[in-house]
Amino acid sequence: MKRVIVSVFACIAVAAVCAVPAWGADVAKIGIVDFQRILTESEAGKDIQAQLQKKGREMESDIRELGTEIEKLREQLDRESMVMSRKKREEKQRELDIKKYDFQSKQKKYQSELRELETKLLEKLQTEIFSLAEEIGKEEGYLLIIEKSAAIYYPNSIDITDRLIEKYNATYSDS
């Protein structure tokens, strides 16, 4: 009877010793993802930045053109106000005020549109990256993968950003 009890305890001890390293490996498998680096280094991130810059330049060009019109109108008003009739001067001033209002409205509208476009594109990228990180996490047995901004300290050895960028670029180029 004593031998049986000793054998059972020995089996339990062996099982516990074997189980602890496996459990310890799960706890230690944590990954860090630098989303900002993905945005600047991945093909999709570079495309997003290029789209935003192109749209921003188009809007800026339109705003600059309207600003030039306002400046020309102001110069004309300054130059000719002494020879204009009161009614004509008031019309020109009203036209100038309307253009200034249009300028400010268009500027706000463009800023809002650009922010919306940026948010939409970044949310799409983030969703795809998070999905891919989840896939890597499941395949490689990660217990936790978090964004770099949520971590105070981490060794570079747990940073999986490069692997994620590589895998995302391969996926992105196929689509």
Side-chain angles (χ1 to χ4, degrees):
M1 182 71 173
K2 198 172 184 180
R3 282 185 157 176
V4 173
I5 292 175
V6 171
S7 294
V8 169
F9 279 118
C11 287
I12 290 172
V14 169
V17 168
C18 291
V20 169
W23 178 75
D26 283 345
V27 170
K29 194 125 183 182
I30 295 173
I32 295 285
V33 174
D34 185 348
F35 190 73
Q36 191 61 39
R37 236 181 79 215
I38 291 171
L39 182 63
T40 57
E41 294 179 16
S42 72
E43 295 302 319
K46 290 175 185 174
D47 282 350
I48 287 172
Q49 290 179 2
Q51 285 179 46
L52 291 173
Q53 286 175 353
K54 181 183 175 196
K55 189 73 174 175
R57 280 193 299 268
E58 289 171 6
M59 291 173 169
E60 187 179 315
S61 173
D62 194 31
I63 289 290
R64 192 176 302 135
E65 191 175 301
L66 191 56
T68 303
E69 285 179 35
I70 290 170
E71 193 58 39
K72 283 181 181 177
L73 194 58
R74 183 182 323 195
E75 287 173 6
Q76 181 187 17
L77 186 63
D78 288 345
R79 192 178 50 239
E80 299 172 2
S81 65
M82 297 301 230
V83 293
M84 285 183 190
S85 67
R86 182 180 174 164
K87 185 178 177 187
K88 183 76 172 176
R89 192 175 32 238
E90 287 175 356
E91 275 180 34
K92 286 287 182 187
Q93 185 60 50
R94 195 173 20 256
E95 185 181 347
L96 181 63
D97 291 342
I98 289 170
K99 287 214 182 262
K100 283 180 182 177
Y101 178 78
D102 288 347
F103 179 85
Q104 290 171 345
S105 295
K106 202 171 242 186
Q107 200 173 28
K108 285 180 186 174
K109 178 183 159 199
Y110 283 167
Q111 286 172 348
S112 175
E113 285 179 9
L114 200 57
R115 262 194 309 269
E116 284 177 23
L117 178 63
E118 181 181 36
T119 300
K120 179 182 155 192
L121 294 172
L122 289 179
E123 282 178 356
K124 181 180 180 285
L125 177 71
Q126 189 177 25
T127 301
E128 292 171 354
I129 291 297
F130 284 3
S131 174
L132 199 56
E134 186 178 332
E135 187 180 308
I136 288 173
K138 286 177 182 172
E139 284 174 5
E140 299 180 16
Y142 279 90
L143 180 66
L144 178 69
I145 297 175
I146 58 173
E147 213 283 317
K148 178 184 172 185
S149 63
I152 295 172
Y153 167 78
Y154 65 92
N156 288 337
S157 60
I158 66 168
D159 189 340
I160 64 167
T161 306
D162 288 333
R163 203 161 6 131
L164 198 56
I165 289 172
E166 186 178 310
K167 195 168 184 172
Y168 188 62
N169 283 344
T171 306
Y172 184 74
S173 65
D174 291 343
S175 59

